[in-house]
Amino acid sequence: MILFTVGKNGKWGVINQREEEIAPCIYDSAQGFCEGLAQVKKDGKYGYIDKTGKEIVPCFYDEVDDFQEGLARVKKDGKWGFVDKTGKEIVPCMYDDAWYFREGLAWVKKYDKYGYIDKTGKEVIPCMYDDAWYFREGLAYVKEDYKYGYIDKTGKEIIPFIYDSAEDFCEGLAWVAKGSRYGRIDKTGKEIIPFIYNAACEFCEGLARVVKDYKYGYIDKTGKEIAPCIYDDAQDFCEGLAWVKKYDKYGYID
């Protein structure tokens, strides 16, 4: 069943493909459905409705987000927590900031420090880091004493805190920076692509855009330079081609 949010007389509701009213136009705003529920706003507060139009989570939160892995982050009185799809507040609104669940854990912020909670609200990794991001492929990058490293879901340090910048792992590899130069490491911390690039993007169709000496080029996952760094601008590959710029003119490369 496909549902659509619609507006009428300054209010929002939901209809189906046959234009039958599922949720009446009584809301100040309404978003699309995600994991079976949709955000709605009424009288300045947010809640959620299901696909029958029933208000599952009452509109009394100051801010909400889409559901991810069965839970949604919600904000009340300046603090963040999480609710489930029945409207039960699984994690009380006690954190200064929080993010979506990924791979069963979510990062939270308390007293300017970051840690991780599980779906029961248990703080499985204490709020002790200066910065943190969500888990991907079993590892997350966190910041301590101005440097980034990687931890596993038990909080064990897998890759030491020696990097000035870090990114998620993707297919077993991650971009990291030492100073102003980027390279790529595996999950043991081994250097796979040397630290010679000023900037680097994620791989797309097997190749990644990189910048060296202010020029763009492309490398494969072994670090081999497939297209030399000679372009003034470039975009990711799409359907086997990428547009590039040289001498104020644009073209495409394969």
Side-chain angles (χ1 to χ4, degrees):
M1 177 173 62
I2 300 175
L3 300 177
F4 305 90
T5 55
V6 292
K8 183 170 67 175
N9 299 325
K11 297 292 183 179
W12 290 84
V14 179
I15 60 172
N16 62 20
Q17 286 175 294
R18 296 188 294 273
E19 297 187 9
E20 296 168 337
E21 188 176 88
I22 303 300
C25 291
I26 60 173
Y27 297 103
D28 301 323
S29 67
Q31 302 297 321
F33 283 86
C34 183
E35 293 193 4
L37 296 179
Q39 303 173 32
V40 290
K41 183 182 181 182
K42 185 168 60 177
D43 300 327
K45 298 293 183 179
Y46 292 87
Y48 298 87
I49 59 172
D50 68 12
K51 290 184 177 181
T52 70
K54 181 181 178 182
E55 200 168 285
I56 301 298
V57 181
C59 293
F60 62 76
Y61 289 103
D62 302 320
E63 196 173 335
V64 297
D65 260 316
D66 286 338
F67 277 83
Q68 299 284 338
E69 296 189 5
L71 297 176
R73 63 181 193 135
V74 293
K75 188 178 186 180
K76 183 171 61 178
D77 299 328
K79 299 291 184 179
W80 290 92
F82 290 86
V83 296
D84 68 13
K85 292 182 180 180
T86 70
K88 182 180 178 182
E89 203 168 275
I90 302 298
V91 181
C93 293
M94 56 181 282
Y95 292 103
D96 300 320
D97 200 358
W99 200 241
Y100 304 107
F101 275 89
R102 292 288 191 277
E103 298 187 6
L105 297 180
W107 67 251
V108 290
K109 182 182 181 183
K110 185 166 60 175
Y111 308 129
D112 289 326
K113 295 292 183 180
Y114 294 81
Y116 294 85
I117 59 172
D118 65 17
K119 290 183 179 180
T120 70
K122 180 183 177 183
E123 203 168 283
V124 294
I125 299 173
C127 291
M128 56 183 283
Y129 296 106
D130 301 322
D131 193 11
W133 199 236
Y134 54 74
F135 278 86
R136 187 171 179 183
E137 298 187 4
L139 297 178
Y141 63 86
V142 292
K143 187 178 184 181
E144 188 176 67
D145 296 329
Y146 305 103
K147 295 290 184 179
Y148 286 92
Y150 291 82
I151 60 172
D152 67 13
K153 292 181 182 180
T154 69
K156 180 182 177 183
E157 182 184 304
I158 302 300
I159 298 173
F161 292 82
I162 59 175
Y163 301 106
D164 296 300
S165 180
E167 299 292 340
D168 294 329
F169 272 89
C170 181
E171 297 182 7
L173 299 175
W175 287 110
V176 289
K178 290 181 178 178
S180 61
R181 297 288 177 172
Y182 285 82
R184 201 157 171 86
I185 59 171
D186 67 14
K187 289 185 176 182
T188 70
K190 180 183 177 183
E191 183 181 304
I192 303 300
I193 296 174
F195 290 81
I196 60 175
Y197 297 105
N198 305 115
C201 299
E202 273 303 336
F203 283 85
C204 186
E205 298 190 4
L207 297 179
R209 278 184 296 147
V210 291
V211 179
K212 185 168 62 176
D213 298 327
Y214 307 104
K215 296 290 184 179
Y216 287 84
Y218 296 85
I219 61 172
D220 68 14
K221 292 181 179 180
T222 70
K224 181 181 178 182
E225 201 167 274
I226 302 301
C229 293
I230 60 174
Y231 298 105
D232 300 316
D233 198 0
Q235 288 295 318
D236 291 334
F237 275 87
C238 181
E239 297 184 10
L241 297 177
W243 70 253
V244 291
K245 179 183 178 184
K246 187 166 61 173
Y247 309 130
D248 292 326
K249 299 293 183 181
Y250 294 84
Y252 290 85
I253 60 172
D254 64 12

